[in-house]
Amino acid sequence: MLPPTRTHSSTPATSAPASPSASSASGRPILLAARNIAKNYGAHTILSDISLSLNGGDRVGLVGANGAGKTTLLRILTGELAPDGGSVTLAHGVEIGYLAQVTPDFPGSTIDDLIRESVGGLRRMEQQMRVLEAAMAMPATTEAEQQRLTELLDEYGQLATRFQDRGGYELDARIGQILAGLRLDYLPRDRDVVSLSGGERARIRLAALLLRSPDLLLLDEPTNHLDFATLAWLEAYLTASVTPASALLVVSHDRQFLNGAVTRIVEIGEHGERGAADHQLRVYEGNYDAYAAAKRAERRRWEEDYTRQQEEIAALRKRVRETARQVAHNRPAPDNDKMASSFFGGRVERTISHNVRAAEQKLARIEADPIPRPPRPLRFLARFRSEGAQSQAVALLEGVTKRLGRRDLLADVDVAITPETRLTLVGPNGAGKTTLLRLLLGQEQPDAGIVRRSPSAQFGYLAQDPTPLETIGAQLTVLEVYREGMTGPDANFIAGLIGYGLFQLEDVNKPVGALSPGQRRKLEIARLLAARPNALLLDEPTNYISLDVLEMFETALLAFAGPIVAVSHDRAFLRRFGGDTLELKEGRLIRRSVEEYLTLDE
């Protein structure tokens, strides 16, 4: 957490943004102003000339490709990371709250410890108000005492307003509201945080941040571990909690969440207006749907401009070739009227030569600064080229029970996976969905019942979170991790890795430790493709995937010829994926349609 007032900078900005203590054109206070932010890692430009203001009442979504610098920008805005150029300035008294994408450990802390720490600022503010109330109760008989009373009243009024804006008067009720909204109220307050599941730790971290009630809330992928009901609650809570004196900046890949929670999208772009790499920020008014429509229009204009220029280049080159031939054909032949032939032939040749030079000069100007070819839409070129499973029963769960302590995660469950299966598992966090996938994989054994798998089944598994760096080996390169367990020339693996459209040539020798969680997710997808499975088990497959990759990944899944079982809380993914839906609730599986489940949940 930052101190109340903070300014951090590197190279001074060429022109300062509006002072954060001032108001924007709309009259709302400017809480944070960033100007000309730049960040490089070695020879790689991550951010270039980024300028951004966050005003009171703003609800902004930050999007961009995996590795584009979204997390880097958030860390710079919080002061956790210094920029290589530019400055960030906070208004006086503004407090920033930051939720990192990767949940840290909390050794030795209980849930109650985190709650007390989170509300500590409000408790101290409340104590300060009590002190001021006691001072104001003292008699004020002299002019100096009356002047001091006026000052105390002014200070108390400002403090009370701030305390009210941050929910201090309803603090105890808010603790219960937030814990219930994030589905954490069933946990004992004395429970050690390190003993919680990954999803529970992520949600308790978010709860602690919301209880802190900062003026400026920066959230990096807050929806990764939230079920439908919790997502809907968070959307409503954030929308209601942003006041004219506070603001929200959120990185998210959840399209429906962005539609409900933000009113403006800012994008860190890989390409400028005509495709040149710029790493700059572009602003789109409206929610995700408005942003997506604007991006489609931009792409169409780029493709049209590129096609038009290519046609012009082809026409100019043709003109140069034809006029050059015309010069050769129009050289005067010997005849009796040599003077007339020379005069008229020379005029024709000079005219043709002038046209050639004009065409060549125009062609040179275009080729010196051409419109780049629009990048091909991301697609999985290899698809999931795999042999179909050779059995009508790819996998079966028969009367399976799995216990966690005294609780039945699964109670006498039957599931049949056939080559045509398209199945999504839904339900609250902790219901046992991941456990069911691990039973199908053979990574866990049932306490009762039978799990059968066809000998011809080759399962491809995508876990809920990227594999930890300590497991992968942070020093290994992208290429080394990609080709692990496979044999053949490096050139073949490089061609395959690039062919998926997930990485560029300059990425293949990067150490995995230098990749963002989203880039590591893309590497796992590449390995999944290379393994050529004939059945897929996917646990929250849209987690960490940036929006530029997400829809292409969904398209590849729709084209897959084998069975798919997917656990997901992504509402847009579920609607596009279709198939059957099984809700796991209190150990039982309930068959529903996607729309029925989403309607019930909403």
Side-chain angles (χ1 to χ4, degrees), residues 180-183 203 226-237 427-429 569 571 597-598 600-602:
L182 293 175
R183 301 298 192 269
R203 284 180 285 135
L226 304 185
D227 56 27
F228 298 115
T230 312
L231 274 169
W233 177 86
L234 183 61
E235 287 173 17
Y237 183 88
N429 289 316
H569 293 126
R571 294 157 290 182
Y597 182 76
L598 293 176
L600 283 173
D601 186 75
E602 292 169 358

Side-chain angles (χ1 to χ4, degrees), residues 535-568:
L536 292 176
L537 303 178
L538 310 175
D539 197 352
E540 299 289 1
T542 63
N543 275 5
Y544 304 100
I545 302 178
S546 59
L547 296 167
D548 63 317
V549 175
L550 184 51
E551 293 193 1
M552 298 301 173
F553 180 54
E554 291 173 345
T555 300
L557 294 178
L558 292 174
F560 179 57
I564 302 176
V565 180
V567 172
S568 182

